[in-house]
Amino acid sequence: MTTHFTSGVTNVTATGSGGKLKLPDPIKFHQQTLDFDQYTAGDWTITTTEAGTGSATEALTSADGGVLLLTNAAGDDDFDSLQWGAPYESYLYEAGKDFFFKCRVKVSDATQTDMIVGLHITDTTPVAAITDGIYFLKSDGSTTVSLVVNKDSSATTTSAGTMADDTWTTLGFYYSSKDRKFYIYKNNVQVGTSVNTNAPDDEEIALSFTIQNGEAVAKTMSIDYLAVGKERTAATEL
């Protein structure tokens, strides 16, 4: 049964500029949700390696909910990497502010691929060289996907479970400023936690994802949605 709050509900103090709104203040979090009913290549910095037959492509595909399909060229270690707005990274981890990320993704081959999805600094060789970020990583030769919390190439890696060929998987984290932990979710179930020891607090990071072949066969990555948000600083949240 639906619960009705006819007088409204809010998430800020009564004396703040959003205190009289009859809905939660939308400025409380800096957030974005990409559902891929639309895709504009110019919104992204796209980096590819295309040593094998064919070319990397990024295109919407027919699927319920809106899906972006990445298809690699057919060389071993060929990859396709996208970063939102890069080189202008727009999120900065702060220990005193909540932070979340969620996505629904699948890869054609859960073993012979590298996959990255989350937030990290601008990088043209992400599988080899990310120095700062908070992201999910599935490495070539393994179906295990892990949350990586990485500062200056010092990383805390925590398993979130496994992926399967051509099977949708929902991945997410929620950083709680109250206990300074990252809560890790797979298919909407909490599967672990991570400490914030190596959280990248001195570098802005960008919404990013990458698919890299683990053999000389073209692999694909499908993305249903990406969502990210971080509490604003006290000076701008009201």
Side-chain angles (χ1 to χ4, degrees):
M1 178 179 292
T2 303
T3 301
H4 300 271
F5 295 98
T6 57
S7 295
V9 61
T10 189
N11 58 352
V12 294
T13 63
T15 57
S17 60
K20 296 188 183 301
L21 285 173
K22 293 187 177 182
L23 73 166
D25 188 343
I27 307 303
K28 182 71 172 175
F29 273 73
H30 168 213
Q31 59 186 318
Q32 64 185 121
T33 301
L34 301 177
D35 217 359
F36 296 113
D37 292 303
Q38 297 177 326
Y39 166 72
T40 302
D43 291 336
W44 302 84
T45 292
I46 302 172
T47 306
T48 64
T49 292
E50 301 166 326
T53 303
S55 300
T57 60
E58 311 84 24
L60 298 179
T61 189
S62 296
D64 183 38
V67 170
L68 181 67
L69 174 65
L70 276 61
T71 304
N72 277 339
D76 189 13
D77 292 331
D78 281 357
F79 72 86
D80 196 2
S81 180
L82 281 75
Q83 294 195 271
W84 177 266
Y88 305 108
E89 301 118 336
S90 54
Y91 290 89
L92 176 66
Y93 165 85
E94 294 179 85
K97 295 293 178 180
D98 285 17
F99 199 168
F100 72 85
F101 170 79
K102 185 176 181 180
C103 66
R104 184 170 182 256
V105 299
K106 66 178 179 177
V107 292
S108 58
D109 187 331
T111 303
Q112 293 292 336
T113 53
D114 297 277
M115 181 199 78
I116 297 169
V117 60
L119 299 105
H120 61 76
I121 63 168
T122 303
D123 198 315
T124 57
T125 56
V127 172
I130 295 175
T131 59
D132 297 86
I134 309 166
Y135 50 91
F136 288 93
L137 169 67
K138 192 212 73 65
S139 296
D140 178 28
S142 173
T143 60
T144 299
V145 61
S146 300
L147 180 69
V148 181
V149 182
N150 187 358
K151 177 181 177 179
D152 299 333
S153 298
S154 295
T156 302
T157 301
T158 307
S159 173
T162 59
M163 298 181 69
D165 295 355
D166 199 32
T167 301
W168 286 111
T169 303
T170 301
L171 299 168
F173 69 76
Y174 193 98
Y175 172 76
S176 171
S177 59
K178 290 184 178 180
D179 58 10
R180 308 295 170 98
K181 290 181 180 178
F182 290 89
Y183 290 82
I184 305 167
Y185 300 88
K186 177 176 178 278
N187 294 334
N188 296 310
V189 175
Q190 185 185 328
V191 293
T193 61
S194 176
V195 297
N196 71 339
T197 307
N198 292 311
D201 57 2
D202 60 351
E203 292 274 4
E204 283 80 12
I205 50 181
L207 192 61
S208 309
F209 50 91
T210 297
I211 177 73
Q212 178 169 299
N213 299 340
E215 59 183 347
V217 177
K219 309 296 183 181
T220 67
M221 178 181 186
S222 301
I223 304 154
D224 183 5
Y225 60 79
L226 302 167
V228 60
K230 184 203 142 185
E231 279 190 299
R232 293 183 184 273
T233 60
T236 60
E237 67 184 3
L238 296 178

